[in-house]
């Protein structure tokens, strides 16, 4: 670190091209070194990037990993997904606070350390997990926390902590065509570039009408169109959850008019319980980048971005190394594999803690260095994406599948899976099972088979596709993973009969309230109301009235929220009320109305100040158990 | 030749580039709205203008008008939705209408009357938001800010100043100003700015003029917002529909 912070800042701005789009990347780097975006730093960045200060502060205030007041020099964040909870993260958090003599959510007096929670960090198969200054540490136990506390007190830089603390496992349990792909770097790309179309075919005509890079000598024209045809023929649908047909998306982008086109890989895997993209990026980065390059070839893009969630900071250096190697192998860069005019390169952008950026238009805003607010649509990213240029945004797994299709062809791919769901799906299995980890199945696999394979016993419920998906009970375990039945972005979270499904739903409502971007009224206010109502029920003050209020909130969110976050925020609650009603009813007071105000709770501050917590310092409140 | 779409069963003509709300207003049909303002680019955040278009819900202020579109607006369901959204905004901030200078001139309040908001409907959040009285001529009371972004749009698009911005997210989202001190007095805000004019509620208040017009004789005391919005609406003759 340069001694003078202003030099650090100007270097960071220059390294990122001193454009407005650099804002988030620059702020993230400043935060990493200075643990804060100070007013001075913000002003300097604003001046260097030619942005109003208010915008810089607005971005700094949007992302969870940035802070405008000093965070501790060691910022410890406990992943707070329901699976981390089930593994005891809250007790561990309390223990660490005690060891370090800090209060949760506050910075210690000497500015050394702060301890708090964060949304799911994508290590559910090896939780409880924490982030220390952005670096992931899985499998936290009392012993490991003891060591961590010592390292912090001894002020050892996180980069120098014992590597075994930071070792993240891949836990691949079942492989199919993707995880067993056997491709060497460049294989898929060579197939794509060598693919020909029949002379006189419509494909050839279309290719000549509009090449992937106008002005390429004929002969090279056919391959991109032919590959696009294979992607369309494969019936590949996006693996990020929504399931839009990939071939149509690429085609729309290719056909859009505009000077530049972009390929964006969405690696902002934020859905609680999902971690398959993490494993693909650590094990199969070449395949991911190859898929992006195939897309660039097909649509005619020169530039690509991998948008990596901040929680996967630890993958940044290895991924950059893969990119560098691919450049040296001429799989990226100018005249890729010797084809004049085929220029493409990939840059990695790191997020800074915002689930909503997984929504493709919010992700694009974030790539542009802004607050991650989903855009109004139309227009769609395929025509007006990054910098208002035609842009293809696909999930990590989608690009891997596209690379396989480029190699083996569309018919091959389409033959796997079900009619409406071609191919395989990676599942991130976690929760109550003997073998959590990554499982790859052909679409159409029933839930009960997955439960058997992962060693789940006595299963009460499975949350499919995380909180924004569905929660199913035992009588539905013959349902299948497929777009026709249970569509999923990948999370598969198992709960056995010892779990309280009310608490599961409550955890998810906290997640949504924390991650709402706050753009639209229904979601900004509604998710906070939902969270408060679930807390009211948890504290024993709930009534049937509150359940009706949740239904009312759901209606409002469904009808008017701006994006999927708001639309799905009430799902976990409604799903569990429907299937596990007793978990709610035993908490409800039978009265019609009960105020949320808690008389005894109001005295908590007085108890804290007087240091008294005996029975006489409490008003009696009966909590129905 | 003008194209038309159907609004609650009646044909509404529109010009290319107009949104559903713009075309409706120009044709003398009111769709309740809050963050939309004819002089600024539609924003689509308050969701009060939500309509059902060909069976799907959409924000009327951002939805491009299209020939043949069937739009429902004055239905029981949508009225109930709008009412709930207004109640949510009341619950989110601290709106003590009787003590607010903007009373009678306030769009939120007027919408509340129009939509028949008679009760709070939700538990209030009672947020702790500071008042910024630092500027000699302007008072910022964030307690009443409904995060409509109109001041930001006006400051950027008309005044060329960027005085206002948002920070935080979710329920913690809040208005900030463009000064290292965080105080309005340390920005280049001026009384004559468009931004000081557009706030639909009592969050941006000009000092010393509060009761120049007495309560009871104010804008929405005279006739409901639905009528006034139509009276103000740009008509095709004088306005070509604004930018979408
Ligand atoms: S639904 Fe929520 S997350 Fe989506 S735009 Fe609205 S406030 Fe933001
Ligand atoms: S201050 Fe007024 S104009 Fe600005 S966002 Fe708040 S309510 Fe809207
Ligand atoms: S007026 Fe359309 S969303 Fe606010």
């Amino acid at each position: 670190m340069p001694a003078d912070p202003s030099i650090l800042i100007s270097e960071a701005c220059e390294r990122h091209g001193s454009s407005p789009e650099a804002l988030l990347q620059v702020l993230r780097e400043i935060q990493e070194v200075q643990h804060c975006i100070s007013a001075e730093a913000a002003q300097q960045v604003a001046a260097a990037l030619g942005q109003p200060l208010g915008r810089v502060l607005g971005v700094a205030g949007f992302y969870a990993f940035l802070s405008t007041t000093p965070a501790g020099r060691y910022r410890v964040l406990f992943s707070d997904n329901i699976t981390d909870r089930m593994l005891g993260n809250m007790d561990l958090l309390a223990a660490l606070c005690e060891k370090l003599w800090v209060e949760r959510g506050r910075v210690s007096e000497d500015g050394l350390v702060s301890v708090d929670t964060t949304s799911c960090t994508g290590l559910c198969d090896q939780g409880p997990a924490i982030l220390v200054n952005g670096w992931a540490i899985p499998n936290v136990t009392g012993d490991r926390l003891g060591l961590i506390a010592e390292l912090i007190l001894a002020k050892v830089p996180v980069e120098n902590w014992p590597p075994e603390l930071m070792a993240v496992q891949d836990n691949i349990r079942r492989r199919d065509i993707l995880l067993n792909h056997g491709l060497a770097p460049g294989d898929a790309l060579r197939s794509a570039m060598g693919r020909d179309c029949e002379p006189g075919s419509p494909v050839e005509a279309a290719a000549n009408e509009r090449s992937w890079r106008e002005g390429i000598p004929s002969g090279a024209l056919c391959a991109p169109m032919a590959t696009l045809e294979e992607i369309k023929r494969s019936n590949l649908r996006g693996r990020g959850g929504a399931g839009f047909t990939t071939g149509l998306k690429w085609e729309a982008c290719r056909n859009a008019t505009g000077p530049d086109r972009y390929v964006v890989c969405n690696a902002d895997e934020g859905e609680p319980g999902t971690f398959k993209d993490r494993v693909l990026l650590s094990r199969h980065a070449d395949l991911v980048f190859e898929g992006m390059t195939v897309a660039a070839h097909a649509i005619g893009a020169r530039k690509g971005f991998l948008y990596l969630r901040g929680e996967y900071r630890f993958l940044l250096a290895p991924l950059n190394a893969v990119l560098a190697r691919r450049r040296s192998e001429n799989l990226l860069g100018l005249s890729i594999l010797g084809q004049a005019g085929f220029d493409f390169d990939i840059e990695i952008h790191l997020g800074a803690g915002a689930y909503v950026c997984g929504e493709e238009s919010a992700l694009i805003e974030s790539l542009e260095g802004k607050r991650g607010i989903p855009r109004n649509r139309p227009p769609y990213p395929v025509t007006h994406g990054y910098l208002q240029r035609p842009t293809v945004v696909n999930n990590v797994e989608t690009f891997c599948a596209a690379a396989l299709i480029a190699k083996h062809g569309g018919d091959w791919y389409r033959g796997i899976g079900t009619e409406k769901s071609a191919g395989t799906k990676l599942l991130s299995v976690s929760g109550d099972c003997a073998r959590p980890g990554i499982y790859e199945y052909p679409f159409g696999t029933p839930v009960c088979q997955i439960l058997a394979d992962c060693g789940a016993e006595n299963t009460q419920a499975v949350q499919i596709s995380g909180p924004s998906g569905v929660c199913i009970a035992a009588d539905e375990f013959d349902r299948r993973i497929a777009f026709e039945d249970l569509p999923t972005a990948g999370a598969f979270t198992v709960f056995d009969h010892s779990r309280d499904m009310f608490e599961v739903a409550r955890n998810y409502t906290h997640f949504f309230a924390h991650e709402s971007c706050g753009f639209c009224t229904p979601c900004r206010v509604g998710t906070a109301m939902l969270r408060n109502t679930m807390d009211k029920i948890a504290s024993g003050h709930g009534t049937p009235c509150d359940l009706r209020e949740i239904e009312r909130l759901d209606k409002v969110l469904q009808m008017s929220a701006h994006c999927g976050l708001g639309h799905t925020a009430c799902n976990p609650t409604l799903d569990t009320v429907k299937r596990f009603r007793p978990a709610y009813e035993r908490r409800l007071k039978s009265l019609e109305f009960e105020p949320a105000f808690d008389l005894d709770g109001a005295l908590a501050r007085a108890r804290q100040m007087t240091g008294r917590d005996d029975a006489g310092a409490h008003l009696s409140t009966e909590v129905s158990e | 030749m003008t194209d038309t779409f159907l609004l609650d069963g009646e044909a509404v003509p529109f010009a290319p580039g107009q949104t559903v709300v713009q075309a409706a207003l120009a044709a003398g049909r009111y769709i309740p709205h809050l963050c939309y303002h004819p002089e600024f680019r539609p924003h689509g955040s308050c969701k009060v203008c939500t309509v059902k278009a060909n069976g799907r819900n959409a924000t009327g202020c951002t939805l491009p008008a299209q020939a043949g579109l069937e739009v429902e607006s004055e239905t029981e369901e949508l009225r109930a939705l709008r009412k709930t959204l207004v109640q949510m905004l009341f619950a989110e901030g601290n709106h003590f209408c009787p003590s607010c200078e903007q009373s009678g001139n306030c769009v939120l309040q007027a919408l509340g009357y129009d939509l028949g908001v008679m009760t709070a409907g939700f538990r209030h959040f009672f947020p702790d938001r500071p008042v910024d009285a630092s500027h000699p001529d302007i008072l910022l009371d964030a307690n009443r800010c409904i995060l409509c972004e109109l001041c930001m749009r006006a400051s950027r698009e008309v005044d060329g100043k960027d005085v206002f911005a948002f920070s935080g997210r979710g329920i913690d989202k809040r208005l900030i100003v463009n000064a290292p001190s965080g105080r309005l007095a340390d920005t280049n805000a001026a009384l004559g700015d468009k931004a000081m004019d557009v706030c639909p509620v009592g969050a941006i208040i000009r000092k010393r003029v509060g009761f120049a017009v007495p309560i009871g004789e104010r804008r929405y005391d005279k006739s409901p917002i639905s009528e006034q919005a139509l009276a103000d609406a740009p008509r095709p003759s004088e306005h070509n529909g604004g930018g979408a």
Side-chain angles (χ1 to χ4, degrees):
Chain A
M1 169 176 50
D4 182 350
S6 74
I7 296 179
L8 166 94
I9 295 171
S10 56
E11 280 179 2
C13 291
E14 274 166 40
R15 196 157 4 91
H16 292 284
S18 297
S19 64
E21 295 84 60
L23 180 52
L24 179 56
Q25 301 307 302
V26 169
L27 292 181
R28 217 198 48 74
E29 287 184 16
I30 296 172
Q31 177 81 33
E32 203 164 275
V33 178
Q34 304 195 329
H35 315 297
C36 172
I37 311 292
S38 65
E40 300 76 49
Q43 273 176 279
Q44 197 193 332
V45 172
L49 305 184
Q51 293 296 304
L53 175 66
R55 189 181 152 217
V56 176
L57 295 173
V59 170
F62 185 83
Y63 295 91
F65 297 161
L66 304 177
S67 58
T68 47
T69 52
R73 266 177 284 150
Y74 291 85
R75 188 185 203 182
V76 183
L77 295 173
F78 279 75
S79 178
D80 198 19
N81 183 23
I82 185 67
T83 51
D84 296 290
R85 286 249 165 156
M86 284 154 44
L87 293 162
N89 70 339
M90 283 297 137
D91 290 342
L92 291 164
L93 184 150
L96 184 67
C97 284
E98 202 158 304
K99 271 199 182 82
L100 294 170
W101 207 247
V102 287
E103 233 179 285
R104 176 181 164 182
R106 298 254 176 105
V107 180
S108 62
E109 302 257 316
D110 56 0
L112 181 68
V113 60
S114 65
V115 179
D116 210 336
T117 56
T118 187
S119 299
C120 178
T121 55
L123 293 160
C124 322
D125 56 335
Q126 45 206 304
I130 61 173
L131 297 177
V132 184
N133 291 354
W135 298 93
I137 299 180
N139 294 316
V140 171
T141 58
D143 287 350
R144 280 160 71 84
L145 265 192
L147 173 58
I148 289 165
E150 277 168 34
L151 289 162
I152 290 174
L153 291 172
K155 305 191 174 79
V156 179
V158 186
E159 293 78 22
N160 302 343
W161 287 14
E164 58 272 21
L165 270 181
M166 317 284 203
V168 172
Q169 304 301 318
D170 289 336
N171 290 333
I172 293 176
R173 312 281 186 183
R174 188 184 193 280
R175 295 163 207 268
D176 210 300
I177 51 164
L178 201 165
L179 295 175
N180 262 339
H181 62 83
L183 297 184
D187 280 359
L189 200 50
R190 268 183 280 268
S191 300
M193 292 169 68
R195 187 162 273 118
D196 223 338
C197 44
E198 295 191 8
S201 71
V203 173
E204 187 190 40
N208 286 322
E209 204 171 285
R210 215 195 144 73
S211 72
W212 60 274
R213 175 86 18 81
E214 281 81 353
I216 287 276
S218 63
L221 291 178
C222 256
M225 278 304 289
T227 301
L228 187 53
E229 283 305 311
E230 293 300 326
I231 300 286
K232 278 162 66 183
R233 194 191 319 247
S234 73
N235 250 349
L236 173 64
R237 297 173 67 171
R239 296 298 191 245
F244 193 78
T245 313
T246 306
L248 294 183
K249 192 186 255 191
W250 290 16
E251 186 170 55
C253 185
R254 179 188 163 86
N255 291 343
T257 48
D260 300 309
R261 273 162 248 168
Y262 294 90
V263 174
V264 176
C265 177
N266 182 346
D268 191 50
E269 177 176 54
E271 191 71 39
T274 316
F275 46 89
K276 47 116 188 155
D277 293 344
R278 182 198 83 217
V279 174
L280 286 176
L281 290 167
S282 79
R283 269 294 175 94
H284 299 284
D286 267 298
L287 197 67
V288 179
F289 294 138
E290 187 119 343
M292 291 176 70
T293 314
V294 166
H297 179 248
I299 68 167
R302 290 169 164 269
K303 173 109 199 161
F305 296 101
L306 176 80
Y307 188 96
L308 184 65
R309 68 188 304 226
E311 288 81 348
Y312 295 167
R313 165 77 179 84
F314 66 99
L315 289 173
L316 182 63
L319 286 170
N320 270 323
V322 174
L323 286 177
R325 196 197 69 239
R326 290 181 71 88
R327 278 179 206 118
S328 73
E329 292 167 352
N330 194 213
L331 297 170
L332 284 174
L334 299 178
S335 304
I336 289 176
L337 291 176
Q339 172 146 41
F342 182 16
D343 309 334
F344 180 68
D345 211 334
I346 297 172
E347 194 180 301
I348 303 178
H349 269 230
L350 210 49
Y355 164 77
V356 72
C357 291
E359 196 277 345
E360 64 174 2
S361 67
L363 182 141
I364 290 172
E365 288 281 300
S366 185
L367 264 184
E368 292 180 357
K370 302 180 190 151
R371 292 161 60 84
I373 312 285
R375 292 177 175 173
N376 283 310
R377 293 175 302 172
Y380 293 89
V382 282
T383 57
H384 294 76
Y386 181 67
L387 302 177
Q388 298 298 315
R389 303 281 158 74
T391 303
V392 150
V393 184
N394 278 129
N395 178 261
V396 174
E397 190 182 343
T398 315
F399 281 119
C400 289
L404 297 189
I405 294 161
K407 173 74 191 169
H408 302 294
D411 288 332
W412 167 79
Y413 196 78
R414 182 184 201 137
I416 302 157
T418 70
E419 197 195 324
K420 294 208 179 81
S421 317
T424 61
K425 183 76 196 90
L426 262 59
L427 298 177
S428 318
V429 177
S430 65
D432 295 310
C433 63
R435 292 175 296 279
I438 299 296
Y439 291 74
E440 183 185 9
Y441 288 101
F443 271 115
T445 303
V447 170
C448 52
Q449 185 188 334
I450 301 161
L451 287 171
D453 291 353
C454 72
E457 277 169 19
N458 207 9
T459 306
Q460 176 181 203
V462 182
Q463 184 77 32
I464 308 275
S465 204
S468 63
V470 293
C471 181
I472 60 170
D475 57 342
E476 298 164 276
F477 290 170
D478 55 351
R479 293 181 64 182
R480 286 158 195 277
I481 300 295
F483 289 104
E484 297 94 317
D485 186 4
L486 291 169
T488 174
F492 189 100
T493 316
V494 184
F495 303 98
D496 70 18
H497 275 102
S498 71
R499 305 301 174 186
D500 179 346
M501 295 310 290
F502 168 81
E503 282 301 334
V504 173
R506 185 160 81 102
N507 177 273
Y508 290 155
T509 62
H510 276 255
F511 167 76
F512 285 126
H514 184 253
E515 296 297 338
S516 165
C517 80
F519 172 75
C520 68
T521 310
C523 175
R524 186 180 70 238
V525 186
T527 54
M529 285 177 167
L530 174 69
R531 174 198 64 199
N532 292 352
T533 303
M534 290 295 274
D535 286 352
K536 182 186 173 195
I537 296 173
S539 69
H541 292 269
T543 69
C545 245
D546 292 297
L547 290 187
R548 283 198 295 276
E549 176 167 310
I550 292 173
E551 281 168 22
R552 182 173 168 216
L553 289 174
D554 179 57
K555 187 118 203 273
V556 174
L557 283 159
Q558 296 282 0
M559 283 180 74
S560 62
H562 185 65
C563 81
L565 190 155
H567 294 149
T568 50
C570 293
N571 287 1
T573 303
L574 295 176
D575 277 1
T576 47
V577 171
K578 196 163 112 202
R579 293 174 169 90
F580 308 98
R581 199 167 178 100
Y584 287 76
E585 279 176 344
R586 65 189 165 82
R587 291 188 160 82
L588 300 181
K589 295 215 166 187
S590 55
L591 324 165
E592 269 302 277
F593 178 77
E594 166 80 17
F597 182 72
D598 170 7
L599 259 186
D600 184 60
L603 292 175
R605 172 64 64 84
R607 281 193 295 269
Q608 195 186 20
M609 285 186 334
T610 53
R612 260 188 77 180
D613 202 14
D614 55 290
H618 283 270
L619 294 167
S620 63
T621 37
E622 348 78 76
V623 173
S624 51
E625 256 310 312
Chain B
M1 187 203 85
T2 42
D3 279 327
T4 60
F5 65 92
L6 286 182
L7 176 59
D8 291 322
E10 283 175 44
V12 171
F14 66 92
Q18 272 185 327
T19 66
V20 164
V21 163
Q22 286 166 342
L25 284 173
R29 303 283 310 264
Y30 175 66
I31 297 176
H33 54 269
L34 185 48
C35 69
Y36 170 71
H37 186 292
E39 289 171 56
F40 303 102
R41 201 182 315 221
H43 187 241
S45 64
C46 76
K47 304 295 175 189
V48 168
C49 68
T50 300
V51 292
K52 196 167 257 178
N54 288 353
R56 298 184 60 178
N57 295 314
T59 39
C61 68
T62 59
L63 180 71
Q66 269 179 316
L69 203 63
E70 287 182 34
V71 180
E72 288 170 50
S73 172
E74 284 305 317
T75 65
E76 196 60 44
E77 191 184 31
L78 289 167
R79 275 187 76 85
L81 170 75
R82 291 176 187 140
K83 188 171 158 181
T84 306
L85 290 169
V86 168
Q87 286 176 317
M88 283 177 148
L89 287 169
F90 272 109
E92 180 187 26
N94 296 312
H95 297 271
F96 304 110
C97 293
S99 70
C100 176
E101 278 186 28
Q102 189 78 347
S103 212
N105 289 329
C106 170
V107 176
L108 183 67
Q109 188 190 47
L111 270 174
Y113 282 130
D114 226 34
L115 293 164
V117 174
M118 308 302 253
T119 61
F122 292 104
R123 288 188 296 282
H124 284 242
F125 284 85
F126 299 118
D128 183 10
R129 298 179 183 167
V131 174
D132 179 353
S134 62
H135 195 282
D137 303 317
I138 305 153
L139 177 81
L140 265 196
D141 187 348
N143 289 292
R144 306 171 190 141
C145 174
I146 54 168
L147 306 165
C148 67
E149 221 168 280
L150 274 171
C151 55
M152 290 169 62
R153 285 180 271 168
S155 186
R156 188 182 322 126
E157 293 170 23
V158 180
D159 307 324
K161 283 191 180 177
D162 282 303
V163 170
F164 300 99
F166 286 142
S167 189
R169 72 179 188 212
I171 198 75
D172 298 323
K173 180 179 170 189
R174 64 190 188 280
L175 187 73
I176 59 170
V177 297
N178 198 7
S181 65
R183 293 169 5 131
L184 190 65
D186 299 322
T187 68
N188 53 353
L191 194 58
D193 290 355
K194 183 74 182 173
M196 308 310 150
D197 230 24
V198 293
C199 185
V201 290
I204 302 178
I205 290 279
R206 293 152 182 264
K207 290 184 177 175
R208 293 178 294 277
V209 295
F211 293 93
V213 179
I215 288 183
E217 290 168 32
R218 296 182 170 189
R219 200 173 153 77
Y220 303 113
D221 293 333
K222 294 183 194 141
S223 61
I225 189 168
S226 46
E227 279 173 30
Q228 303 222 12
L230 288 177
D232 297 348
R235 283 294 189 266
S237 52
E238 58 192 74
H239 196 275
N240 59 8

